Amino acid sequence: MLDGKGLSASQVVRLETLLSEDSELLDQFVYSVALANDLQDVAAYAVSADGALDRDQQANRSTSSILSRARGLSLAALAASILIAAFSLTRHRVDDTENLQPPPGFEGFVATIIAQDHWNATSALPVGYRVPAGEFVVDEGIVELQFDSGPCLLVEGPAQIDIRSASEAHLSLGKVVFRDETDGLPFRLTTPQSQFIDHGTEYALAVTEENEEVHVFSGTVERTEGAAKVNGSVDLLKDGEAKRYSRIKQTPAEVLHVDPTMFVRELPTHDDDPLQKLLAIESFNYDDDNIVIDVQANGGTGWSSTWWPNGEKLPGHNEDDVALRIGESLVFGGRDESSHGGSLGYVGEWLVHRPLNENLSLARNDVRYVSFLFRPGELWSRPENTVKLIFQNPDQGVLEHRIAVGIDVARGHIRGELCGVLGQSPLPMANNSTYLIVMKILAAKENPDQLMIRVFQPHEPIGERETSSWTVTTPMSDSDDSFSLMSLYFNSTEEQRIDEIRVGSSWASVTYPWWATATSEL
């Protein structure tokens, strides 16, 4: 019955009637379906090599339709039905696979925008946005890119660049400053008449219709005449050297004095006020342990209503298991004092939601960051120890329509879920240690979407700029979903705790308390 294949049409009608007339029977049915889906999660769930979920044409269609047609749902039963939709890992249906296909011509992301200043509004993308291979234009302003191979390229408009890969770009017009502090593989930067290869270098290029200049600030640059020529002349420029190359044939290179003032070499490392880009925060700063369960917790900012739990009949709920512990906040890093308020945790199975003031949308070019503190209890104990933070909608909780980070404490894994694709990684943790977890949600209107997760170990330093090293990166998905609800899910035999949930539009807004001394009340 639970896999949707064991009932005849008349039996389905009879079951729907019984469920609509008997709330206790409905609760039991919901519990059975949740148990079956948990078993499917453990025993039958599989991920293919490219990260897409295996297809299953049945996928519990009959069960979900029975639940959706049942009348007179109680509050607890309604919340429990959301639980099924939100947390059962049903495998991908044939008619839901379109969001896994990248758009035609998409060649993959190769760089990240790490800073910008007065970038032209018609073409500007947010800091943190992932940049694919292809044409990149800066009409005015300045943009700094960090390539996946390590180097940074600061582009000063007006400039036209063709980004060819994570280790090659072509500058046809404008100014750039190249900097490589990684000691990695050489980066190839070409112009209409030259090819430049760096060797642990910071140098600048200025390309006009008449000539091009190169100024070397550190290291060595290898310049080859004609990007496509095999036997072009080679010119080595060292620290403190500069030359101008004319486009007029057989014109010798002109030796110049290095002029750092011609180029912008640095942009601010962070926002002047990170709190301006903080969209929502919850520090669990309450004075009553039962305020969340009593549906009266309305602290923090950026939320449209109180926290609301699944109700008293949720499997695993125990009145003695207090979810909120006031005055027991989590401490991360080198801070001498705890964060504000208390922290949230649970023993058993529990689901609690809170709607956002501002929806998280994948239908536009945008970047959202989410951070929270997490403290595990009893690692490697039992398979039930799982905690998830999910963005979803009440009527679209299935895996193909949600974003989630799941911490499998029992198995020592962290998993990211993005609209039907998964990525996961082993997660070394210690009992009763506090970790900072940061999610980066890349939303793209025309390109695919992607989710990255970074787990910071206790006392691990956190920079003012976004990290380039992620613990988990999901495969790409292409969705236009919009999410209004944030949910926390506990399914644990030992207490796992969460604190300091932040949602923001910049890296700094969600990591600020741990890399700088806050001057404002957070």
Side-chain angles (χ1 to χ4, degrees):
M1 180 184 71
L2 293 175
D3 65 6
K5 303 176 184 178
L7 295 180
S8 65
S10 61
Q11 289 173 325
V12 169
V13 173
R14 175 59 175 159
L15 177 59
E16 291 173 3
T17 302
L18 292 172
L19 294 179
S20 64
E21 295 174 349
D22 191 331
S23 60
E24 291 186 4
L25 179 61
L26 177 59
D27 288 345
Q28 186 60 43
F29 180 72
V30 165
Y31 175 76
S32 300
V33 173
L35 178 61
N37 281 317
D38 286 344
L39 292 174
Q40 182 189 31
D41 185 9
V42 174
Y45 181 72
V47 181
S48 63
D50 63 359
L53 303 182
D54 289 348
R55 300 177 179 179
D56 182 349
Q57 295 185 13
Q58 299 300 324
N60 288 339
R61 287 176 176 171
S62 298
T63 300
S64 59
S65 64
I66 290 170
L67 285 171
S68 65
R69 293 196 298 266
R71 299 292 189 265
L73 295 180
S74 64
L75 177 60
L78 175 60
S81 65
I82 294 177
L83 172 67
I84 293 172
F87 301 107
S88 62
L89 294 178
T90 53
R91 288 168 286 179
H92 224 349
R93 297 192 294 269
V94 172
D95 57 0
D96 279 332
T97 56
E98 68 275 4
N99 65 327
L100 303 181
Q101 305 300 324
F106 179 78
E107 298 182 12
F109 295 118
V110 297
T112 302
I113 298 172
I114 61 173
Q116 61 169 278
D117 184 38
H118 295 93
W119 191 2
N120 183 281
T122 60
S123 60
L125 296 167
V127 172
Y129 195 84
R130 295 279 286 156
V131 178
E135 184 181 50
F136 188 83
V137 176
V138 179
D139 295 324
E140 60 184 63
I142 306 169
V143 182
E144 186 170 2
L145 301 174
Q146 181 166 30
F147 287 84
D148 290 356
S149 59
C152 292
L153 192 67
L154 200 151
V155 185
E156 184 176 349
Q160 299 175 7
I161 297 179
D162 180 19
I163 299 175
R164 296 175 176 173
S165 71
S167 58
E168 182 177 356
H170 178 81
L171 173 65
S172 56
L173 183 68
K175 293 181 180 181
V176 299
V177 173
F178 177 90
R179 182 172 60 253
D180 186 4
E181 300 174 350
T182 64
D183 294 327
L185 294 175
F187 189 96
R188 187 189 307 271
L189 184 57
T190 63
T191 65
Q193 68 183 67
S194 305
Q195 171 181 276
F196 296 87
I197 302 293
D198 79 287
H199 296 278
T201 312
E202 182 189 5
Y203 70 95
L205 285 178
V207 176
T208 67
E209 297 291 344
E210 295 78 26
N211 54 56
E212 57 192 44
E213 293 184 20
V214 56
H215 295 242
V216 182
F217 305 123
S218 66
T220 302
V221 176
E222 178 183 323
R223 186 257 182 184
T224 303
E225 180 183 1
K229 293 182 179 179
V230 177
N231 297 317
S233 61
V234 177
D235 199 357
L236 289 178
L237 293 91
K238 298 180 180 180
D239 181 3
E241 295 182 342
K243 286 186 178 182
R244 178 183 294 128
Y245 300 92
S246 173
R247 291 195 179 183
I248 300 175
K249 292 183 178 181
Q250 298 181 349
T251 300
E254 180 183 354
V255 177
L256 306 173
H257 292 289
V258 171
D259 186 1
T261 64
M262 282 183 57
F263 307 92
V264 177
R265 297 172 60 188
E266 294 286 345
L267 286 179
T269 58
H270 60 82
D271 302 320
D272 292 335
D273 185 2
L275 296 181
Q276 289 186 351
K277 295 187 177 181
L278 186 65
L279 304 177
I281 182 173
E282 173 59 276
S283 297
F284 300 105
N285 191 12
Y286 302 104
D287 56 7
D288 181 356
D289 280 340
N290 294 313
I291 195 169
V292 175
I293 294 176
D294 292 341
V295 199
Q296 296 178 1
N298 196 28
T301 59
W303 314 95
S304 61
S305 76
T306 63
W307 288 96
W308 50 278
N310 257 30
E312 296 181 359
K313 292 185 178 181
L314 184 67
H317 181 84
N318 187 329
E319 291 294 343
D320 296 330
D321 295 327
V322 178
L324 179 66
R325 299 200 181 278
I326 61 173
E328 295 184 21
S329 58
L330 302 184
V331 182
F332 175 80
R335 298 186 65 177
D336 295 331
E337 298 179 358
S338 301
S339 54
H340 293 282
S343 57
L344 191 72
Y346 203 71
V347 177
E349 188 172 20
W350 194 55
L351 177 64
V352 63
H353 315 277
R354 197 164 190 195
L356 295 157
N357 273 341
E358 182 178 327
N359 283 14
L360 194 160
S361 175
L362 298 180
R364 60 193 180 199
N365 294 329
D366 204 357
V367 183
R368 286 290 181 265
Y369 297 86
V370 183
S371 71
F372 61 95
L373 299 181
F374 175 70
R375 188 180 70 193
E378 295 300 322
L379 290 164
W380 305 97
S381 51
R382 297 189 179 107
E384 295 84 13
N385 283 339
T386 300
V387 177
K388 292 186 180 181
L389 185 148
I390 307 105
F391 292 96
Q392 59 175 334
N393 283 313
D395 57 345
Q396 283 187 326
V398 295
L399 186 62
E400 293 87 349
H401 299 283
R402 71 173 186 182
I403 302 172
V405 54
I407 306 166
D408 188 339
V409 178
R411 299 173 183 84
H413 281 82
I414 185 166
R415 179 165 61 193
E417 305 174 10
L418 175 66
C419 299
V421 298
L422 303 181
Q424 72 174 21
S425 173
L427 183 60
M429 283 188 169
N431 284 332
N432 300 318
S433 293
T434 299
Y435 301 83
L436 176 65
I437 298 177
V438 184
M439 304 168 61
K440 175 181 177 179
I441 303 167
L442 173 67
K445 184 176 181 180
E446 298 179 355
N447 295 322
D449 313 305
Q450 201 163 34
L451 169 66
M452 285 78 85
I453 303 169
R454 180 63 154 87
V455 180
F456 286 94
Q457 298 289 316
H459 301 286
E460 181 179 358
I462 299 174
E464 301 175 14
R465 284 193 174 185
E466 177 182 318
T467 183
S468 60
S469 175
W470 297 95
T471 308
V472 175
T473 299
T474 68
M476 289 174 288
S477 177
D478 194 9
S479 172
D480 290 332
D481 284 337
S482 180
F483 307 98
S484 61
L485 197 65
M486 191 193 76
S487 304
L488 297 177
Y489 173 62
F490 297 87
N491 185 13
S492 180
T493 57
E494 302 293 338
E495 190 175 68
Q496 321 294 329
R497 304 210 66 78
I498 284 180
D499 196 5
E500 293 297 319
I501 301 173
R502 285 172 165 79
V503 181
S505 58
S506 72
W507 169 268
S509 66
V510 301
T511 62
Y512 179 72
W514 297 285
W515 55 256
T517 301
T519 57
S520 306
E521 186 75 2
L522 296 183

